[in-house]
Amino acid sequence: MSRYGGYTLGRMKFDDSQEKPDLSKEMLLRISRYFLPYWKQTLVVLVILAATSVLGLLPPLLIQQIVDHALPGKDLRLLALLVAGSLAATVASGLLGVLQSYLNAFISQNIIFDMKNQMYRHLQGMPLQFFSNVKQGEVITRMTSDISGIQGVFNGTIVNFASNLLMLITTAGTLFWMNWKLALVSVFVVPLFVAPTRKMGSLRWKLAKETQEKISEQNHIIEETLSLSGYMLMKLFTKEDQERDRFKAVSAETTRLQIRESMAGRWFMMLVNTFASIGPMLIYLCGGYLFIRGEITIGAIIAFVSLLGRLYSPVGQLTNLYVDIKRSVALFERIFDYFDMEPQIVDAPGADSLNGAGSAIEFRNVSFAYQPDKPALRDISFKAEPGTLTALVGPSGAGKTTITNLIPRLYNADSGSIRIGGADIASITLKSLRSSIGLVTQDTYLFNGTIRENLLYANEEATDEEITQACQAAYIHDFIMKLPDGYDTVVGNRGIKLSGGEKQRLSIARVLLKNPSIIIMDEATSSLDTVSEFYVQQAMNVLLKDKTSLVIAHRLSTIMSADNILVIQDGRVAEEGKHQQLLERNGVYKDLYDKQFGKKVT
Ligand code: ADP
C-alpha cells in the first residue's frame, strides 16, 4: 500500500538519487519552472555577463597599445588615456559585478522563499502516518539545509555556465583575431586541464556526498539525544558515555572527510596552476620566435599572456560544471521527493461544511489497517447519540485509539463509513469537521509559551473573561492564580513545568474555549493523587456535559456514568451495553472489570 511505502522508502530513494541524478528532460523542466517567475532578472544577469566578458578583454588589449604605441612614441597623453581606459573598464566591470551579485541573491532567495512556503504547506497536509514514520530531524533538514542549498544553484549552474562560455568564446575569438598561430599554440595546452579537472570533480563530488551523509547522521544524533524526551531517556538509562562516543565517532568521520574534501581541492589547484604556467612559457617561446621574425609586436605577446588566464579558467570551470549540475539536480530531487508524496487526507471535491448537521456519531462497518494484512479495526459498527457519553474499554492494543483517530480523519477508514449527524465525514470539509471536535489526549501537547498563549491557540478571539471562565470550569484557575506570573507563566517545552493532572485540566480548559459539539478524550492511565483525580473528574464533568463524547475510559467513575460502553477486543466490538448489563452478561467486560477494578470495589 502506498500509504507508508512512499514515506519510508523516501530516504532510500534519496540515497540512490545521489548516485545517479535524474537528468531527464522532465526533471530539468520541473526545476526550470521555479526559475520562470524570475526570467526578467535572469535576462539582466545574462546581459551583465556578456558585458563583463567584453569589458574584461579591454585591459590586456589596452596594455598592448601602451607597449606598442604610447611607450615607443613617448606619447604621454596617449599613455594617460589608455591607462584611464583600462581603469574605467575594470571599474565598470566591478560595478556590474555588484549588480549581478544582488540579482543572484535576489533570484536564489526568492526561489528559496517560494519553495519553503510550498514545502511548509505541503507538509501541513501530510497525514499523521508520515510523521510517525519519518526519521526525527529529517523534516527540519529538508526544510532548512536542503532548501537553503538552492542558494548556490543559480550561481553554480546558470551563471557559471553562461559566464564561462561567454568568456571562453570572446577570449578565443580575440586571440585568433590577434594572431591565429599563437592562438593555436595556446589552445594546445587546453586538453591538459580537462582530464585532471574531471577526475577531481568526481572525487570531490563523492567526498561531498559522503560528508553530507555523515552530517545528516550527526544531526540525527543531536536531534535524538538533545531533545527533551531523548535527553531524559539518555539520562535515565545513563547512556551519556555511549552517546558521547557515538557522536564523537560520527564527528571524527565528518572531520576526516571534510579535510580530505578540501585537500582534494588543493591538489587540483596545484595541478591546474602548473599546467596554467606552461601556457605563458609556450607563448613567450613561440611569440618570441614570431617577434624575432618580425611577425608580431611585444605588446601583442604581453596581451596574449594576460588573456591566457581568461581562456584556461573557463575550460576548467566548464569541465567541472556537470558536477555542479549533478549536485543541484540531486538537491532538487531530494526536495521533489517530498513534494511527490501525496497528502492522502484532503477535502473531497465539493465537500460540504458540517454546519448544523448535528453531533450523532455513527460507525458503519468500519475497517482499518495501519499495515497491510494487519487489520487494527474490523467491521466496527456503533452509534453514539447526541449528548451522550460512550466509553471505550478494552485491553491495550485493542484498537480504541485507532477508533478515536478515525473520527477527525487523522487516518481514513479503509472501508465502511463514519457519519456525523448523518453526513459521511469523507464528504465534509476537514476544517469544519475538525473544528467541531475537541480532542483531549493522554499526552497533552502544550507548546513552550505562556499559559494564556496555549489557551488562545484554541480560540484566538477569546477574551480574558472567557479564558478565566474556562479555567474555572476546568478547575485550574485557582492553581494558575497561585503561580508567580499567573496566566503569563511559561509552561516549558511540552508543558514540562506542569504536573500530569494540571496539564490535563489545562487541556480541558483549552477544549472548553474551542467549544466543539463532539469531545474525544483519552483518559490518563497514570494514576493521579486523590486530589488531582477529583479535580480532573470535576473538569471532565463540565467538559462532557451536553456533548456527544467518546472517552477511552480508564476510570471506574467514567465507565459507570457512561450511557453506552463499547468493549473493544482485537479490533472488534466484542460487547456493548451499560455497565450493569455488561456485568450481568458475565463475558469479556466482566473479566476486564474484575482485573482492572474488581479489587477497588469489593
Ligand atoms: P489501544 O488504543 O486500544 O491501546 P491502538 O488503537 O493504539 O490500541 O492500536 C491498535 C493496533 O494498531 C495495535 O496493534 C497497534 O500496535 C497498532 N498501531 C497503532 N498505531 C499504529 C501506527 N501508527 N502504525 C502502525 N500500527 C499501529
Side-chain angles (χ1 to χ4, degrees):
M1 246 187 255
S2 63
R3 182 160 54 222
Y4 28 75
Y7 311 140
T8 35
L9 291 178
R11 243 197 111 66
M12 277 142 70
K13 223 164 113 194
F14 139 59
D15 289 338
D16 286 341
S17 72
Q18 285 216 331
E19 294 294 339
K20 273 188 240 110
D22 173 13
L23 288 170
S24 66
K25 215 167 110 193
E26 289 77 30
M27 188 59 162
L28 298 180
L29 264 176
R30 188 171 180 188
I31 294 174
S32 57
R33 229 171 284 143
Y34 285 91
F35 288 88
L36 207 62
Y38 309 103
W39 68 270
K40 280 188 206 153
Q41 285 84 358
T42 309
L43 200 69
V44 176
V45 169
L46 293 181
V47 171
I48 292 178
L49 292 177
T52 40
S53 56
V54 173
L55 280 174
L57 292 173
L58 286 181
L61 294 178
L62 293 176
I63 288 170
Q64 181 183 2
Q65 297 306 312
I66 292 174
V67 175
D68 289 345
H69 302 288
L71 295 184
K74 300 200 172 21
D75 185 343
L76 203 58
R77 211 176 139 262
L78 182 64
L79 177 67
L81 211 65
L82 289 170
V83 168
S86 176
L87 189 68
T90 313
V91 171
S93 151
L95 288 177
L96 285 174
V98 174
L99 180 60
Q100 189 216 320
S101 307
Y102 167 73
L103 288 172
N104 278 357
F106 178 88
I107 296 171
S108 313
Q109 293 303 334
N110 272 291
I111 291 174
I112 291 176
F113 173 79
D114 297 342
M115 281 202 126
K116 256 191 196 158
N117 290 331
Q118 190 188 351
M119 180 72 99
Y120 193 83
R121 221 173 27 239
H122 182 74
L123 288 175
Q124 273 188 328
M126 293 308 281
L128 193 61
Q129 187 79 344
F130 166 78
F131 293 96
S132 22
N133 283 343
V134 77
K135 226 173 169 179
Q136 215 177 20
E138 198 181 305
V139 170
I140 295 180
T141 309
R142 300 242 170 163
M143 278 292 291
T144 53
S145 51
D146 282 358
I147 294 190
S148 304
I150 289 174
Q151 196 172 339
V153 167
F154 182 67
N155 217 3
T157 56
I158 299 177
V159 172
N160 202 353
F161 174 71
S163 69
N164 285 307
L165 191 69
L166 285 165
M167 202 193 280
L168 187 65
I169 292 173
T170 49
T171 310
T174 312
L175 291 182
F176 275 95
W177 167 73
M178 284 167 68
N179 186 302
W180 65 269
K181 288 181 199 159
L182 262 195
L184 275 181
V185 171
S186 350
V187 172
F188 179 72
V189 187
V190 164
L192 288 179
F193 291 94
V194 180
T197 311
R198 278 192 85 94
K199 199 157 171 48
M200 281 303 152
S202 307
L203 179 64
R204 290 189 77 181
W205 159 252
K206 191 172 143 272
L207 289 173
K209 202 191 89 189
E210 281 176 28
T211 313
Q212 204 203 358
E213 271 162 20
K214 283 290 158 201
I215 290 178
S216 123
E217 202 174 314
Q218 198 177 323
N219 288 347
H220 178 62
I221 298 178
I222 297 174
E223 270 286 324
E224 225 175 35
T225 55
L226 296 183
S227 63
L228 186 57
S229 30
Y231 171 83
M232 284 188 34
L233 190 72
M234 173 176 76
K235 288 280 170 189
L236 294 176
F237 286 91
T238 56
K239 296 280 183 205
E240 289 103 321
D241 291 345
Q242 195 181 323
E243 294 298 353
R244 206 163 35 229
D245 289 346
R246 187 156 76 110
F247 183 75
K248 206 168 161 187
V250 178
S251 274
E253 189 58 13
T254 320
T255 311
R256 190 186 67 82
L257 283 168
Q258 270 170 337
I259 292 176
R260 264 193 79 191
E261 196 184 336
S262 41
M263 280 324 283
R266 280 309 304 154
W267 287 112
F268 165 68
M269 288 302 287
M270 198 207 83
L271 263 179
V272 169
N273 285 342
T274 313
F275 289 138
S277 61
I278 296 176
M281 303 303 168
L282 275 175
I283 296 297
Y284 284 128
L285 188 69
C286 304
Y289 171 73
L290 291 175
F291 170 75
I292 291 165
R293 288 184 45 162
E295 279 187 37
I296 196 173
T297 61
I298 295 182
I301 295 177
I302 295 173
F304 239 94
V305 169
S306 55
L307 281 173
L308 272 191
R310 294 178 63 84
L311 186 72
Y312 296 156
S313 131
V315 171
Q317 302 252 5
L318 284 173
T319 335
N320 237 346
L321 189 70
Y322 86 108
V323 174
D324 287 316
I325 292 179
K326 243 164 67 169
R327 196 191 306 245
S328 305
V329 170
L331 198 65
F332 273 100
E333 259 186 351
R334 265 167 75 80
I335 297 166
F336 290 162
D337 227 24
Y338 262 34
F339 281 149
D340 287 341
M341 293 175 198
E342 294 271 336
Q344 282 126 9
I345 301 185
V346 288
D347 283 348
D352 261 340
S353 171
L354 187 61
N355 290 344
S359 62
I361 305 170
E362 188 184 355
F363 273 54
R364 285 192 195 167
N365 310 102
V366 172
S367 296
F368 174 79
Y370 290 101
Q371 289 161 33
D373 308 324
K374 270 180 137 184
L377 296 182
R378 312 165 208 232
D379 206 22
I380 299 264
S381 295
F382 69 89
K383 195 159 181 195
E385 299 295 344
T388 62
L389 165 62
T390 303
L392 296 173
V393 297
S396 156
K400 303 178 297 292
T401 314
T402 309
I403 292 180
T404 61
N405 281 344
L406 292 185
I407 302 172
R409 288 186 66 196
L410 294 176
Y411 298 92
N412 278 337
D414 293 335
S415 64
S417 68
I418 300 171
R419 287 159 192 274
I420 289 184
D424 191 331
I425 56 169
S427 64
I428 294 169
T429 60
L430 286 167
K431 200 172 168 135
S432 75
L433 174 70
R434 289 178 186 162
S435 56
S436 62
I437 297 172
L439 199 66
V440 183
T441 52
Q442 272 197 35
D443 175 24
T444 303
Y445 192 83
L446 298 173
F447 56 81
N448 193 357
T450 63
I451 291 180
R452 189 193 311 280
E453 284 163 351
N454 270 287
L455 289 167
L456 283 173
Y457 203 69
N459 176 4
E460 278 173 24
E461 282 149 25
T463 59
D464 280 355
E465 201 180 327
E466 285 167 329
I467 291 180
T468 314
Q469 266 176 10
C471 288
Q472 277 168 342
Y475 290 85
I476 186 77
H477 174 75
D478 291 345
F479 164 77
I480 296 173
M481 291 314 285
K482 277 193 215 125
L483 294 171
D485 293 321
Y487 280 89
D488 295 318
T489 307
V490 175
V491 297
N493 282 336
R494 291 181 153 253
I496 197 168
K497 296 182 186 167
L498 303 177
S499 80
E502 288 150 7
K503 266 197 283 192
Q504 234 187 13
R505 280 181 283 154
L506 199 58
S507 132
I508 290 175
R510 187 162 65 176
V511 175
L512 281 173
L513 275 177
K514 186 176 170 188
N515 197 23
S517 54
I518 294 170
I519 303 280
I520 295 171
M521 180 160 181
D522 190 355
E523 275 184 337
T525 39
S526 48
S527 48
L528 301 171
D529 61 82
T530 346
V531 182
S532 295
E533 171 98 26
F534 170 77
Y535 283 128
V536 169
Q537 194 58 49
Q538 296 301 314
M540 265 181 71
N541 291 343
V542 177
L543 177 73
L544 304 182
K545 193 165 178 292
D546 300 329
K547 301 275 161 60
T548 311
S549 42
L550 211 63
V551 179
I552 299 178
H554 299 292
R555 295 195 186 94
L556 184 61
S557 52
T558 313
I559 301 174
M560 303 263 265
S561 62
D563 298 291
N564 193 20
I565 301 169
L566 298 173
V567 185
I568 312 295
Q569 198 180 28
D570 277 339
R572 294 181 207 275
V573 181
E575 285 175 1
E576 180 176 358
K578 282 197 189 260
H579 175 65
Q580 206 54 42
Q581 291 168 337
L582 288 176
L583 277 187
E584 283 162 15
R585 273 180 77 163
N586 216 358
V588 185
Y589 181 77
K590 174 77 166 60
D591 233 27
L592 206 72
Y593 173 80
D594 285 344
K595 275 197 207 112
Q596 269 191 20
F597 305 108
K599 286 187 209 101
K600 285 190 197 167
V601 269
T602 50

